[in-house]
Amino acid sequence: MDHRSPPLAELTPKQALLQQIQAALSLYILDTPSLTDRKSYIPLQLSKQRPVVYRCAIAFKLSKLVNSPTIEVAQSISQLIAQQNHQQNLILQVVPPGWIYLELTQPSLAAWLQHWIETLPCLGSRGEKRAEGAQGAEGAEGEIACHQLPITNYQLPITNSLFPIQYAHARCCSLLKMAHEEKIITIKSKNSDIKSSCLQVISPQPIPWLSEAKICLHHPSELNLLLESIGVLDALYCPDPTRSKSLNWLKVALNLSQAFQTFYSQCRIWGEVKKQNFNLAQGRLGLIAIAQSVFRILLVEVLNSCAPLEL
């Protein structure tokens, strides 16, 4: 599989997986209600298993409806998902009493990582992604996709609470600019000015995420930062419609900043890593670029604050 292209044209794996599960359900039960119907919501959550595994509980909901054992329902749905998975970007497993585990394959995960490198820095005001100068089928104004963020009136308890998040964002920017100066990667900004916080890695293209067909990021703190970033994107662009209370976005952002600080303290980029494993250094910088974009979206779009380049 060519990991330069995302498995599906969505912003998060959860969105893509929900489409595949919904397609399988439409075969399992005719006239399956729309995903926008609260009663037919498909329970799908990111698992703490690594590298990236989602856990689906739809069989528990359907077993009573079809009057069949939960494990049998899960097995049937899993088989239908496998039939829909033409790109073979998933590893499916049914776990008693009826969980369906959907694991992204290594090439598929690399595809998503590259997709975020190319997409997240282009998300501007209210999460809209536009292509400068694009014309044709995408629309006269060049709009190629639109990912709307949730409207939030979140009130911050104290201004100082944002400092760890802003510091993490500034540190990401500093590391990316330093790597750019040392020619490990090449970055550009949305405004053709590295002073902008919308930094995007344009070289290498793609980033060497894979090493011998496996993701080069396998340190626990690397995986933790990756999972935290995916969790934030899922919460932003594919929220749970059955959730009764709004998320504490400040806590979400603080958790991400803590994951970044742990990663930064345990995973080196320069020195021996740069000399002996240049691809790993580039992969870690790619992960930093993704985290930086997620921090920017949280700070500017959700927490109504600024995303400083330096502190």
Side-chain angles (χ1 to χ4, degrees):
M1 176 179 174
D2 186 349
H3 68 272
R4 290 174 293 180
S5 301
L8 288 174
E10 301 291 344
L11 192 60
T12 75
K14 184 176 181 180
Q15 290 174 308
L17 292 176
L18 284 173
Q19 288 189 7
Q20 294 191 45
I21 297 171
Q22 182 69 17
L25 290 178
S26 67
L27 298 175
Y28 186 72
I29 300 179
L30 296 178
D31 300 324
T32 303
S34 170
L35 279 176
T36 57
D37 185 342
R38 180 181 294 267
K39 295 180 180 179
S40 64
Y41 171 69
I42 297 175
L44 181 68
Q45 298 296 330
L46 184 64
S47 172
K48 293 300 182 181
Q49 294 189 28
R50 301 174 182 185
V52 178
V53 181
Y54 282 83
R55 186 174 69 169
C56 182
I58 189 62
F60 295 95
K61 296 182 64 177
L62 294 181
S63 62
K64 295 181 180 179
L65 178 64
V66 299
N67 195 27
S68 296
T70 304
I71 191 70
E72 293 182 6
V73 175
Q75 290 170 343
S76 297
I77 295 174
S78 179
Q79 291 173 1
L80 291 170
I81 294 173
Q83 294 174 13
Q84 303 297 315
N85 185 33
H86 302 301
Q87 292 180 309
Q88 298 182 341
N89 51 29
L90 291 176
I91 299 173
L92 293 161
Q93 181 182 9
V94 175
V95 178
W99 299 99
I100 301 175
Y101 283 80
L102 305 96
E103 178 182 352
L104 299 186
T105 63
Q106 300 285 295
S108 177
L109 178 54
W112 281 107
L113 289 167
Q114 189 62 32
H115 183 45
W116 289 320
I117 285 288
E118 298 170 2
T119 303
L120 292 179
C122 300
L123 293 181
S125 178
R126 296 183 305 280
E128 295 178 357
K129 177 191 174 193
R130 295 177 181 272
E132 297 179 2
Q135 295 180 359
E138 291 83 353
E141 297 182 1
E143 185 171 341
I144 61 176
C146 183
H147 303 283
Q148 291 294 334
L149 285 167
I151 298 175
T152 175
N153 294 317
Y154 189 80
Q155 299 297 318
L156 299 178
I158 52 175
T159 304
N160 290 341
S161 62
L162 285 177
F163 179 79
I165 309 160
Q166 292 175 321
Y167 174 82
H169 176 270
R171 175 53 62 185
C172 287
C173 293
S174 176
L175 292 170
L176 293 172
K177 289 188 291 182
M178 188 182 304
H180 174 82
E181 293 170 357
E182 296 192 13
K183 302 186 184 305
I184 304 175
I185 59 172
T186 302
I187 60 175
K188 72 172 184 177
S189 75
K190 190 174 182 180
N191 299 319
S192 300
D193 181 358
I194 292 181
K195 293 181 180 180
S196 168
S197 66
C198 298
L199 304 179
Q200 183 173 22
V201 178
I202 60 173
S203 177
Q205 180 74 347
I207 287 176
W209 301 109
L210 295 174
S211 176
E212 298 181 355
K214 294 184 179 180
I215 291 292
C216 64
L217 306 174
H218 49 73
H219 189 281
S221 62
E222 292 171 333
L223 296 175
N224 186 49
L225 178 57
L226 173 60
L227 289 176
E228 286 288 341
S229 299
I230 295 175
V232 173
L233 292 174
D234 282 343
L236 285 170
Y237 297 102
C238 195
D240 182 348
T242 65
R243 189 181 182 91
S244 59
K245 297 182 179 180
S246 60
L247 277 177
N248 184 334
W249 288 106
L250 178 60
K251 182 178 180 181
V252 169
L254 287 172
N255 288 341
L256 182 62
S257 67
Q258 182 58 56
F260 170 76
Q261 292 297 341
T262 302
F263 160 81
Y264 178 62
S265 67
Q266 297 181 358
C267 297
R268 297 182 178 181
I269 297 171
W270 283 267
E272 293 184 1
V273 173
K274 176 185 173 183
K275 293 179 181 179
Q276 298 180 8
N277 196 337
F278 194 69
N279 286 352
L280 176 59
Q282 291 179 322
R284 287 177 172 174
L285 287 164
L287 181 58
I288 290 172
I290 292 171
Q292 185 263 328
S293 293
V294 177
F295 279 127
R296 177 179 58 81
I297 293 170
L298 282 171
L299 285 166
V300 176
E301 309 290 350
V302 180
L303 298 176
N304 300 313
S305 183
C306 63
L309 283 165
E310 55 186 24
L311 288 175

